[in-house]
Amino acid sequence: MKLLFDIGFLVVLTAAPAKATEWLNCSDGDKASFNVLLGNMNVIAVDTIEVEVGGKKWSTRGEGATPVTKGQAFETDDQIYIDVTDDKMDAIVAQLRLFKANEGNDYVSDGTLRVAGVGAWAVTCSGP
């Protein structure tokens, strides 16, 4: 009986759709970058954020960077807004504001990246 249960459980697990994640990589091409790992869902699902400006790094993973956390994130058919806060959620560290367009196989995404106390840049993005 346990064997039947185990087989049934495995069948259910393999029948569930996989949740893919993809990186959205934004950069000004020189000084600033904002990379975010997004889940493939019907709503924006921010997993990991990495920001780098002039050699200074911030990351939700922390690894060798100043720790930050995900603030609010918002997505419509033509916009993505993502805020990054300090690890105590006391202050905004970075803000990504994008406009996106999709026609057939063509996809473009451009906007602005602002890092508090550091600067602001026009960015171009690639990714999902």
Side-chain angles (χ1 to χ4, degrees), residues 4 15 21 40 49-51 63 72 75 98 101 106 112 114 120-121 126 128:
L4 286 176
T21 57
N40 186 12
I49 299 170
E50 297 172 346
V51 181
E63 306 162 356
Q72 64 182 358
E75 181 178 25
L98 301 177
D106 298 324
T112 60
R114 182 184 79 83
W121 301 267
S126 64

Side-chain angles (χ1 to χ4, degrees), residues 26-28 32-33 96-98 109-113 121-125:
C26 302
S27 171
D28 75 334
S33 67
L96 183 69
R97 302 292 185 257
L98 301 177
S109 181
D110 297 322
T112 60
L113 167 62
W121 301 267
V123 294
T124 300
C125 304

